[in-house]
Coordinates of all heavy atoms in Angstrom, one line a residue:
M1 N 3.2 -15.1 -5.1 CA 2.1 -14.5 -4.4 C 1.7 -13.3 -5.2 O 2.5 -12.4 -5.6 CB 2.5 -14.1 -3.0 CG 1.4 -13.5 -2.1 SD 1.9 -13.3 -0.4 CE 1.6 -14.9 0.2
N2 N 0.4 -13.2 -5.4 CA -0.2 -12.1 -6.2 C -1.0 -11.1 -5.4 O -1.3 -10.0 -5.9 CB -1.1 -12.6 -7.3 CG -0.3 -13.5 -8.3 OD1 0.8 -13.2 -8.7 ND2 -0.9 -14.6 -8.6
F3 N -1.3 -11.4 -4.2 CA -2.2 -10.5 -3.4 C -1.9 -10.7 -1.9 O -1.6 -11.8 -1.5 CB -3.6 -11.0 -3.7 CG -4.7 -10.2 -3.0 CD1 -5.2 -9.0 -3.5 CD2 -5.2 -10.6 -1.8 CE1 -6.1 -8.3 -2.9 CE2 -6.2 -9.9 -1.1 CZ -6.6 -8.7 -1.7
K4 N -1.9 -9.6 -1.1 CA -1.7 -9.7 0.3 C -2.4 -8.6 1.0 O -2.4 -7.4 0.5 CB -0.2 -9.7 0.5 CG 0.2 -9.9 2.0 CD 1.7 -9.7 2.1 CE 2.4 -10.8 2.8 NZ 3.8 -10.7 2.9
I5 N -2.9 -8.8 2.1 CA -3.5 -7.7 3.0 C -2.8 -7.8 4.3 O -2.7 -8.9 4.9 CB -5.0 -7.9 3.2 CG1 -5.7 -7.7 1.9 CG2 -5.5 -6.8 4.2 CD1 -7.2 -8.0 2.0
I6 N -2.2 -6.7 4.7 CA -1.5 -6.5 6.0 C -2.4 -5.6 6.9 O -2.8 -4.5 6.5 CB -0.1 -6.0 5.8 CG1 0.7 -7.0 5.0 CG2 0.5 -5.7 7.2 CD1 2.1 -6.4 4.7
T7 N -2.7 -6.1 8.1 CA -3.4 -5.3 9.0 C -2.4 -4.7 10.1 O -1.8 -5.5 10.8 CB -4.5 -6.1 9.7 OG1 -5.4 -6.6 8.7 CG2 -5.3 -5.2 10.7
L8 N -2.3 -3.4 10.2 CA -1.4 -2.8 11.1 C -2.0 -3.0 12.5 O -3.2 -2.7 12.8 CB -1.3 -1.3 10.9 CG -0.7 -1.0 9.5 CD1 -0.5 0.5 9.4 CD2 0.7 -1.6 9.3
T9 N -1.2 -3.6 13.4 CA -1.6 -4.0 14.7 C -2.3 -2.9 15.5 O -3.4 -3.1 16.1 CB -0.5 -4.6 15.5 OG1 0.2 -5.6 14.7 CG2 -0.9 -5.3 16.8
K10 N -1.6 -1.8 15.6 CA -2.1 -0.7 16.5 C -3.4 -0.1 16.1 O -4.3 0.0 16.9 CB -1.0 0.3 16.6 CG -1.4 1.4 17.6 CD -0.2 2.4 17.7 CE -0.5 3.5 18.7 NZ 0.6 4.5 18.7
S11 N -3.6 0.2 14.8 CA -4.8 0.9 14.3 C -5.8 0.0 13.6 O -6.9 0.5 13.3 CB -4.3 2.0 13.4 OG -3.7 1.4 12.2
Q12 N -5.4 -1.2 13.2 CA -6.2 -2.1 12.4 C -6.4 -1.6 11.0 O -7.3 -2.0 10.3 CB -7.6 -2.4 13.1 CG -7.5 -3.1 14.4 CD -6.7 -4.5 14.3 OE1 -7.2 -5.3 13.5 NE2 -5.6 -4.6 14.9
T13 N -5.6 -0.6 10.6 CA -5.6 -0.2 9.2 C -5.1 -1.3 8.3 O -4.2 -2.0 8.6 CB -4.6 1.1 9.0 OG1 -5.1 2.1 9.9 CG2 -4.6 1.5 7.6
K14 N -5.8 -1.5 7.2 CA -5.5 -2.5 6.2 C -4.7 -1.9 5.0 O -5.1 -0.9 4.5 CB -6.7 -3.2 5.8 CG -7.4 -4.0 6.9 CD -8.5 -4.8 6.4 CE -9.3 -5.5 7.5 NZ -8.6 -6.0 8.6
I15 N -3.6 -2.6 4.7 CA -2.8 -2.2 3.6 C -2.9 -3.4 2.6 O -2.6 -4.5 2.9 CB -1.3 -2.0 3.9 CG1 -1.1 -1.0 5.1 CG2 -0.5 -1.5 2.7 CD1 -1.5 0.4 4.9
C16 N -3.3 -3.1 1.4 CA -3.5 -4.1 0.4 C -2.4 -4.1 -0.7 O -2.2 -3.0 -1.2 CB -4.9 -4.0 -0.3 SG -5.2 -5.1 -1.6
L17 N -1.9 -5.2 -1.1 CA -0.9 -5.3 -2.2 C -1.5 -6.2 -3.2 O -2.1 -7.2 -2.9 CB 0.4 -5.9 -1.7 CG 1.3 -5.0 -0.9 CD1 0.9 -5.1 0.6 CD2 2.7 -5.3 -1.2
H18 N -1.5 -5.8 -4.5 CA -2.1 -6.5 -5.6 C -1.2 -6.5 -6.8 O -0.9 -5.4 -7.3 CB -3.4 -5.9 -5.9 CG -4.1 -6.6 -7.1 ND1 -4.3 -5.9 -8.2 CD2 -4.6 -7.8 -7.3 CE1 -4.9 -6.7 -9.1 NE2 -5.1 -7.9 -8.5
R19 N -0.7 -7.6 -7.2 CA 0.1 -7.7 -8.4 C -0.7 -7.5 -9.7 O -1.8 -8.1 -9.7 CB 0.9 -9.0 -8.5 CG 2.0 -9.0 -9.6 CD 2.8 -10.2 -9.5 NE 2.1 -11.4 -10.0 CZ 2.0 -11.8 -11.2 NH1 2.6 -11.1 -12.2 NH2 1.4 -12.9 -11.6
D20 N -0.3 -6.7 -10.6 CA -1.1 -6.4 -11.8 C -0.2 -6.1 -13.0 O 1.0 -6.3 -12.9 CB -2.0 -5.2 -11.4 CG -3.3 -5.1 -12.3 OD1 -3.4 -5.9 -13.3 OD2 -4.1 -4.2 -12.0
R21 N -0.8 -5.7 -14.1 CA -0.1 -5.2 -15.2 C -0.6 -3.8 -15.5 O -1.8 -3.5 -15.5 CB -0.2 -6.1 -16.4 CG 0.5 -7.4 -16.3 CD 0.6 -8.1 -17.7 NE 1.6 -9.1 -17.7 CZ 2.9 -8.9 -18.0 NH1 3.3 -7.7 -18.3 NH2 3.7 -9.9 -18.0
S22 N 0.3 -2.9 -15.9 CA -0.1 -1.5 -16.3 C -0.7 -1.6 -17.7 O -0.6 -2.6 -18.4 CB 1.1 -0.6 -16.3 OG 2.0 -1.0 -17.3
E23 N -1.2 -0.4 -18.2 CA -1.7 -0.3 -19.5 C -0.6 -0.5 -20.6 O -0.8 -0.9 -21.7 CB -2.3 1.1 -19.8 CG -3.6 1.2 -19.0 CD -4.2 2.6 -19.2 OE1 -3.8 3.4 -20.1 OE2 -5.2 2.9 -18.5
E24 N 0.7 -0.3 -20.1 CA 1.8 -0.5 -21.0 C 2.4 -2.0 -20.9 O 3.4 -2.3 -21.4 CB 3.0 0.4 -20.7 CG 2.6 1.9 -20.9 CD 1.8 2.5 -19.8 OE1 1.9 2.0 -18.6 OE2 1.0 3.4 -20.1
N25 N 1.6 -2.8 -20.2 CA 1.9 -4.2 -20.1 C 3.2 -4.5 -19.2 O 3.9 -5.5 -19.3 CB 2.1 -4.9 -21.4 CG 1.7 -6.4 -21.3 OD1 0.9 -6.8 -20.5 ND2 2.3 -7.2 -22.2
Q26 N 3.4 -3.6 -18.3 CA 4.5 -3.7 -17.3 C 4.0 -4.4 -16.0 O 2.9 -4.1 -15.6 CB 5.1 -2.3 -17.0 CG 5.8 -1.6 -18.1 CD 7.0 -2.3 -18.6 OE1 7.9 -2.7 -17.8 NE2 7.2 -2.5 -19.9
E27 N 4.9 -5.1 -15.4 CA 4.6 -5.7 -14.1 C 4.5 -4.7 -13.0 O 5.5 -3.9 -12.9 CB 5.6 -6.8 -13.7 CG 5.5 -8.1 -14.5 CD 4.3 -8.9 -14.1 OE1 3.8 -8.8 -13.0 OE2 3.8 -9.7 -15.0
I28 N 3.4 -4.6 -12.3 CA 3.3 -3.6 -11.2 C 2.7 -4.2 -10.0 O 2.1 -5.3 -10.1 CB 2.5 -2.4 -11.6 CG1 1.0 -2.8 -12.0 CG2 3.1 -1.6 -12.7 CD1 0.1 -1.6 -12.2
V29 N 2.9 -3.6 -8.9 CA 2.2 -3.9 -7.6 C 1.6 -2.7 -7.1 O 2.2 -1.6 -7.0 CB 3.2 -4.5 -6.6 CG1 2.4 -4.7 -5.2 CG2 3.8 -5.8 -7.0
R30 N 0.3 -2.7 -6.9 CA -0.5 -1.6 -6.3 C -0.5 -1.8 -4.8 O -0.8 -2.8 -4.3 CB -1.9 -1.6 -6.8 CG -2.1 -1.4 -8.3 CD -3.6 -1.4 -8.7 NE -3.7 -1.4 -10.1 CZ -3.6 -0.3 -10.9 NH1 -3.4 0.9 -10.3 NH2 -3.7 -0.3 -12.2
I31 N -0.1 -0.7 -4.1 CA -0.1 -0.7 -2.6 C -1.1 0.3 -2.2 O -1.0 1.5 -2.6 CB 1.3 -0.4 -2.1 CG1 2.4 -1.3 -2.7 CG2 1.2 -0.5 -0.5 CD1 3.8 -0.8 -2.3
T32 N -2.2 -0.1 -1.6 CA -3.3 0.7 -1.2 C -3.7 0.7 0.2 O -3.6 -0.4 0.8 CB -4.6 0.3 -2.1 OG1 -4.2 0.2 -3.4 CG2 -5.7 1.3 -1.9
A33 N -4.0 1.8 0.8 CA -4.5 1.9 2.2 C -5.7 2.7 2.2 O -5.9 3.7 1.5 CB -3.4 2.5 3.1
F34 N -6.7 2.3 3.1 CA -7.9 3.1 3.3 C -7.8 3.6 4.8 O -7.6 2.8 5.7 CB -9.1 2.2 3.1 CG -9.3 1.8 1.7 CD1 -8.8 0.5 1.3 CD2 -9.9 2.6 0.8 CE1 -8.9 0.1 0.0 CE2 -10.0 2.1 -0.5 CZ -9.5 0.9 -0.9
I35 N -7.9 4.9 4.9 CA -7.7 5.5 6.3 C -8.8 6.6 6.5 O -9.5 7.0 5.6 CB -6.3 6.2 6.4 CG1 -6.2 7.4 5.5 CG2 -5.2 5.3 6.3 CD1 -5.2 8.4 5.8
V36 N -9.0 6.9 7.7 CA -9.9 8.0 8.1 C -9.0 9.1 8.7 O -8.3 8.9 9.7 CB -10.9 7.5 9.2 CG1 -11.8 8.7 9.6 CG2 -11.8 6.4 8.6
E37 N -9.1 10.3 8.0 CA -8.2 11.4 8.5 C -8.9 12.1 9.7 O -10.0 11.8 10.0 CB -7.9 12.3 7.3 CG -9.0 12.8 6.5 CD -9.5 14.2 6.9 OE1 -8.8 15.2 6.9 OE2 -10.7 14.3 7.3
S38 N -8.2 13.0 10.3 CA -8.6 13.6 11.5 C -10.0 14.3 11.5 O -10.6 14.5 12.5 CB -7.5 14.5 12.1 OG -7.3 15.6 11.2
E39 N -10.4 14.8 10.3 CA -11.7 15.4 10.1 C -12.8 14.4 9.8 O -13.9 14.8 9.6 CB -11.6 16.5 9.0 CG -10.7 17.6 9.4 CD -10.5 18.7 8.3 OE1 -11.3 18.6 7.3 OE2 -9.6 19.5 8.4
G40 N -12.5 13.2 9.8 CA -13.5 12.1 9.6 C -13.7 11.7 8.2 O -14.5 10.8 7.9
R41 N -13.0 12.3 7.2 CA -13.1 11.8 5.8 C -12.4 10.5 5.6 O -11.2 10.4 6.1 CB -12.6 12.9 4.9 CG -13.4 14.2 4.9 CD -12.9 15.2 3.9 NE -11.5 15.5 4.4 CZ -10.8 16.5 3.9 NH1 -11.2 17.1 2.8 NH2 -9.6 16.7 4.4
E42 N -13.0 9.7 4.8 CA -12.3 8.4 4.4 C -11.5 8.7 3.2 O -12.0 9.3 2.2 CB -13.3 7.3 4.2 CG -14.0 6.9 5.4 CD -15.0 5.8 5.2 OE1 -14.8 5.0 4.2 OE2 -16.0 5.6 5.9
L43 N -10.2 8.3 3.2 CA -9.3 8.5 2.1 C -8.7 7.2 1.6 O -8.5 6.3 2.4 CB -8.2 9.5 2.5 CG -8.6 10.8 3.0 CD1 -7.3 11.6 3.5 CD2 -9.3 11.6 1.9
M44 N -8.4 7.1 0.3 CA -7.6 6.0 -0.2 C -6.3 6.5 -0.6 O -6.2 7.5 -1.4 CB -8.4 5.4 -1.4 CG -7.6 4.2 -2.0 SD -8.5 3.5 -3.4 CE -7.8 4.4 -4.7
L45 N -5.2 5.9 -0.1 CA -3.9 6.2 -0.5 C -3.3 5.1 -1.3 O -3.5 3.9 -1.0 CB -3.0 6.4 0.7 CG -3.5 7.4 1.8 CD1 -2.7 7.3 3.0 CD2 -3.6 8.8 1.2
E46 N -2.7 5.4 -2.5 CA -2.2 4.4 -3.3 C -0.9 4.8 -4.0 O -0.7 5.9 -4.3 CB -3.2 4.0 -4.4 CG -2.8 2.8 -5.3 CD -3.8 2.4 -6.2 OE1 -4.1 3.2 -7.2 OE2 -4.4 1.4 -6.0
T47 N 0.0 3.8 -4.2 CA 1.2 4.0 -5.0 C 1.4 2.7 -5.8 O 0.9 1.7 -5.5 CB 2.4 4.3 -4.0 OG1 3.5 4.7 -4.8 CG2 2.8 3.0 -3.3
L48 N 2.2 2.9 -6.8 CA 2.5 1.7 -7.7 C 4.0 1.5 -7.7 O 4.8 2.4 -7.6 CB 2.1 2.0 -9.1 CG 0.7 2.3 -9.4 CD1 0.5 2.7 -10.9 CD2 -0.2 1.1 -9.1
A49 N 4.4 0.2 -7.7 CA 5.8 -0.2 -7.8 C 5.9 -1.0 -9.1 O 5.1 -1.8 -9.4 CB 6.2 -1.0 -6.6
Q50 N 6.9 -0.7 -9.9 CA 7.0 -1.3 -11.2 C 8.2 -2.3 -11.1 O 9.2 -2.0 -10.5 CB 7.3 -0.3 -12.3 CG 7.3 -0.9 -13.7 CD 7.3 0.2 -14.7 OE1 6.7 1.3 -14.6 NE2 8.0 0.0 -15.8
F51 N 8.1 -3.4 -11.8 CA 9.1 -4.5 -11.8 C 9.4 -5.0 -13.2 O 8.6 -4.9 -14.1 CB 8.6 -5.7 -10.9 CG 8.3 -5.3 -9.5 CD1 7.1 -4.8 -9.1 CD2 9.3 -5.4 -8.6 CE1 6.9 -4.4 -7.8 CE2 9.1 -5.0 -7.3 CZ 7.9 -4.5 -6.9
A52 N 10.6 -5.5 -13.3 CA 11.1 -6.0 -14.6 C 10.4 -7.3 -15.0 O 10.3 -7.6 -16.2 CB 12.6 -6.2 -14.5
D53 N 10.0 -8.1 -14.0 CA 9.4 -9.4 -14.4 C 8.4 -9.8 -13.3 O 8.4 -9.3 -12.2 CB 10.5 -10.5 -14.6 CG 11.4 -10.6 -13.4 OD1 10.9 -11.0 -12.3 OD2 12.6 -10.4 -13.6
A54 N 7.6 -10.8 -13.6 CA 6.6 -11.3 -12.7 C 7.2 -11.9 -11.4 O 6.6 -11.7 -10.4 CB 5.7 -12.3 -13.4
G55 N 8.3 -12.6 -11.5 CA 8.9 -13.2 -10.4 C 9.3 -12.2 -9.3 O 9.1 -12.3 -8.1
S56 N 9.9 -11.1 -9.8 CA 10.3 -10.0 -8.9 C 9.0 -9.4 -8.2 O 9.1 -9.1 -7.0 CB 11.0 -8.9 -9.6 OG 12.2 -9.4 -10.2
A57 N 8.0 -9.2 -8.9 CA 6.7 -8.6 -8.4 C 6.2 -9.6 -7.3 O 5.7 -9.1 -6.3 CB 5.7 -8.3 -9.5
R58 N 6.1 -10.9 -7.6 CA 5.6 -11.8 -6.7 C 6.5 -11.9 -5.4 O 5.9 -11.9 -4.3 CB 5.6 -13.2 -7.3 CG 4.3 -13.5 -8.2 CD 4.2 -14.9 -8.5 NE 5.2 -15.4 -9.4 CZ 5.1 -15.4 -10.7 NH1 4.1 -14.9 -11.3 NH2 6.1 -15.9 -11.4
R59 N 7.8 -11.8 -5.5 CA 8.6 -11.8 -4.3 C 8.4 -10.6 -3.5 O 8.5 -10.6 -2.3 CB 10.1 -12.0 -4.8 CG 10.5 -13.4 -5.2 CD 12.0 -13.6 -5.4 NE 12.5 -12.8 -6.5 CZ 12.4 -13.1 -7.7 NH1 11.8 -14.2 -8.1 NH2 12.9 -12.3 -8.7
F60 N 8.2 -9.4 -4.2 CA 8.0 -8.2 -3.4 C 6.7 -8.3 -2.6 O 6.8 -8.0 -1.4 CB 7.8 -7.0 -4.4 CG 7.5 -5.7 -3.8 CD1 8.5 -4.9 -3.3 CD2 6.2 -5.3 -3.8 CE1 8.2 -3.7 -2.7 CE2 5.9 -4.1 -3.2 CZ 6.9 -3.3 -2.6
V61 N 5.7 -8.9 -3.2 CA 4.4 -9.0 -2.4 C 4.7 -10.0 -1.2 O 4.3 -9.8 -0.1 CB 3.3 -9.5 -3.3 CG1 2.0 -9.9 -2.5 CG2 2.9 -8.4 -4.3
A62 N 5.3 -11.1 -1.5 CA 5.5 -12.1 -0.5 C 6.4 -11.6 0.7 O 6.1 -11.9 1.8 CB 6.2 -13.4 -1.1
D63 N 7.4 -10.8 0.4 CA 8.3 -10.3 1.4 C 7.8 -9.0 2.1 O 8.4 -8.6 3.1 CB 9.7 -10.0 0.7 CG 10.4 -11.2 0.3 OD1 10.0 -12.3 0.7 OD2 11.3 -11.1 -0.6
Y64 N 6.7 -8.4 1.6 CA 6.3 -7.1 2.2 C 5.8 -7.4 3.6 O 5.0 -8.3 3.9 CB 5.1 -6.6 1.3 CG 4.9 -5.1 1.5 CD1 5.7 -4.2 0.7 CD2 3.9 -4.6 2.3 CE1 5.5 -2.9 0.8 CE2 3.7 -3.2 2.4 CZ 4.5 -2.4 1.6 OH 4.3 -1.0 1.7
S65 N 6.2 -6.6 4.6 CA 6.0 -6.8 6.0 C 5.1 -5.7 6.6 O 4.9 -4.7 6.0 CB 7.3 -6.9 6.7 OG 7.9 -5.6 6.7
E66 N 4.8 -5.9 7.9 CA 4.0 -4.9 8.6 C 4.9 -3.6 8.7 O 4.4 -2.5 8.6 CB 3.6 -5.4 10.0 CG 2.8 -4.4 10.7 CD 2.2 -4.9 12.0 OE1 2.1 -6.1 12.2 OE2 1.8 -4.0 12.8
E67 N 6.2 -3.8 8.9 CA 7.1 -2.6 9.0 C 7.1 -1.9 7.6 O 7.1 -0.6 7.6 CB 8.6 -3.1 9.3 CG 8.8 -3.2 10.7 CD 8.5 -2.0 11.6 OE1 9.0 -0.9 11.3 OE2 7.7 -2.2 12.5
S68 N 7.1 -2.6 6.5 CA 7.0 -2.0 5.2 C 5.7 -1.2 5.1 O 5.7 -0.1 4.6 CB 7.1 -3.0 4.1 OG 8.3 -3.7 4.2
A69 N 4.6 -1.8 5.5 CA 3.3 -1.2 5.4 C 3.3 0.1 6.3 O 2.7 1.1 5.8 CB 2.2 -2.2 5.9
K70 N 3.8 0.1 7.5 CA 3.9 1.3 8.3 C 4.7 2.4 7.6 O 4.2 3.5 7.6 CB 4.5 1.0 9.7 CG 3.7 0.2 10.6 CD 4.4 -0.1 11.9 CE 3.7 -1.1 12.8 NZ 4.5 -1.4 14.0
G71 N 5.8 2.0 7.0 CA 6.6 3.0 6.3 C 5.9 3.6 5.2 O 5.9 4.8 4.9
F72 N 5.2 2.8 4.4 CA 4.4 3.3 3.3 C 3.3 4.3 3.7 O 3.2 5.4 3.2 CB 3.7 2.1 2.5 CG 2.5 2.5 1.7 CD1 2.6 3.2 0.5 CD2 1.2 2.2 2.2 CE1 1.5 3.5 -0.2 CE2 0.1 2.5 1.5 CZ 0.2 3.2 0.3
L73 N 2.6 3.9 4.8 CA 1.5 4.8 5.3 C 2.1 6.1 5.8 O 1.6 7.2 5.5 CB 0.8 4.1 6.4 CG -0.5 4.8 6.9 CD1 -1.4 5.1 5.8 CD2 -1.1 4.0 8.0
E74 N 3.2 6.1 6.6 CA 3.8 7.3 7.1 C 4.3 8.2 6.0 O 4.1 9.4 6.0 CB 4.9 6.9 8.1 CG 4.4 6.4 9.4 CD 5.5 5.9 10.3 OE1 6.7 6.0 9.9 OE2 5.2 5.3 11.3
E75 N 4.9 7.6 4.9 CA 5.4 8.4 3.8 C 4.2 9.1 3.1 O 4.3 10.2 2.7 CB 6.2 7.5 2.8 CG 7.5 7.2 3.4 CD 8.3 6.3 2.4 OE1 8.0 6.2 1.2 OE2 9.2 5.6 2.9
C76 N 3.1 8.3 2.8 CA 2.0 8.9 2.1 C 1.4 10.0 2.9 O 1.0 11.1 2.4 CB 0.9 7.8 1.9 SG 1.3 6.7 0.6
L77 N 1.2 9.8 4.2 CA 0.6 10.9 5.1 C 1.5 12.1 5.1 O 1.0 13.2 5.0 CB 0.4 10.3 6.5 CG -0.6 9.2 6.6 CD1 -0.6 8.7 8.1 CD2 -2.0 9.6 6.2
D78 N 2.8 11.9 5.2 CA 3.8 13.1 5.2 C 3.7 13.8 3.9 O 3.6 15.0 3.8 CB 5.2 12.6 5.5 CG 5.4 12.3 7.0 OD1 4.5 12.6 7.8 OD2 6.4 11.6 7.3
E79 N 3.8 13.0 2.8 CA 3.8 13.6 1.5 C 2.6 14.4 1.2 O 2.7 15.5 0.6 CB 4.0 12.5 0.4 CG 4.1 13.0 -1.0 CD 4.3 11.9 -2.0 OE1 5.3 11.1 -1.7 OE2 3.5 11.7 -2.9
D80 N 1.4 13.9 1.5 CA 0.2 14.6 1.2 C -0.3 15.5 2.4 O -1.4 16.1 2.3 CB -0.9 13.6 0.9 CG -0.6 12.8 -0.4 OD1 0.1 13.3 -1.2 OD2 -1.1 11.7 -0.5
K81 N 0.5 15.6 3.4 CA 0.2 16.4 4.6 C -1.2 16.1 5.1 O -2.0 17.0 5.4 CB 0.3 17.9 4.2 CG 1.8 18.3 3.8 CD 1.9 19.7 3.6 CE 3.3 20.1 3.1 NZ 4.3 19.2 2.9
I82 N -1.5 14.8 5.4 CA -2.7 14.3 5.9 C -2.6 14.1 7.4 O -1.6 13.4 7.8 CB -3.1 13.0 5.2 CG1 -3.3 13.3 3.7 CG2 -4.4 12.5 5.8 CD1 -3.5 12.0 2.9
A83 N -3.5 14.7 8.2 CA -3.5 14.5 9.6 C -4.4 13.3 9.9 O -5.5 13.3 9.4 CB -3.9 15.8 10.3
V84 N -4.0 12.4 10.8 CA -4.8 11.3 11.2 C -4.7 11.2 12.8 O -3.7 11.7 13.3 CB -4.4 10.0 10.6 CG1 -4.6 10.0 9.1 CG2 -2.9 9.6 11.0
P85 N -5.7 10.7 13.4 CA -5.6 10.5 14.8 C -4.4 9.6 15.1 O -4.0 8.8 14.4 CB -6.9 9.7 15.2 CG -7.8 10.0 14.1 CD -6.9 10.2 12.9
S86 N -3.7 9.9 16.3 CA -2.5 9.2 16.6 C -2.6 7.7 16.7 O -1.7 7.0 16.5 CB -1.9 9.8 17.9 OG -2.8 9.6 19.0
S87 N -3.8 7.2 16.9 CA -4.1 5.8 17.0 C -4.0 5.1 15.6 O -4.1 3.9 15.5 CB -5.4 5.5 17.7 OG -6.5 6.0 16.9
S88 N -4.0 5.9 14.5 CA -4.0 5.4 13.2 C -2.7 4.9 12.7 O -2.6 4.3 11.6 CB -4.5 6.4 12.2 OG -5.9 6.7 12.5
L89 N -1.6 5.1 13.5 CA -0.3 4.6 13.1 C 0.3 3.6 13.9 O 0.0 3.1 14.8 CB 0.7 5.8 13.0 CG 0.3 6.9 12.0 CD1 1.3 8.0 12.1 CD2 0.3 6.3 10.6

């Protein structure tokens, strides 16, 4: 699996996973979320996960769950100190 979109049930926030290659030709998966913070600004949150081979990256995408997506979003919000309406989580 090379691509997956997970919609968080409570907020309808979409988390997108996309398998790709870095400029250094390494296997990566981009994890991206688009959110609206408490002041109304739209933000894009993204992180990259690097893998040793294509099979590992594909399995990561296939196995990624709604719980994983919630954890990713909460970590990004905490790390960047972004406030969102409570219904966004």
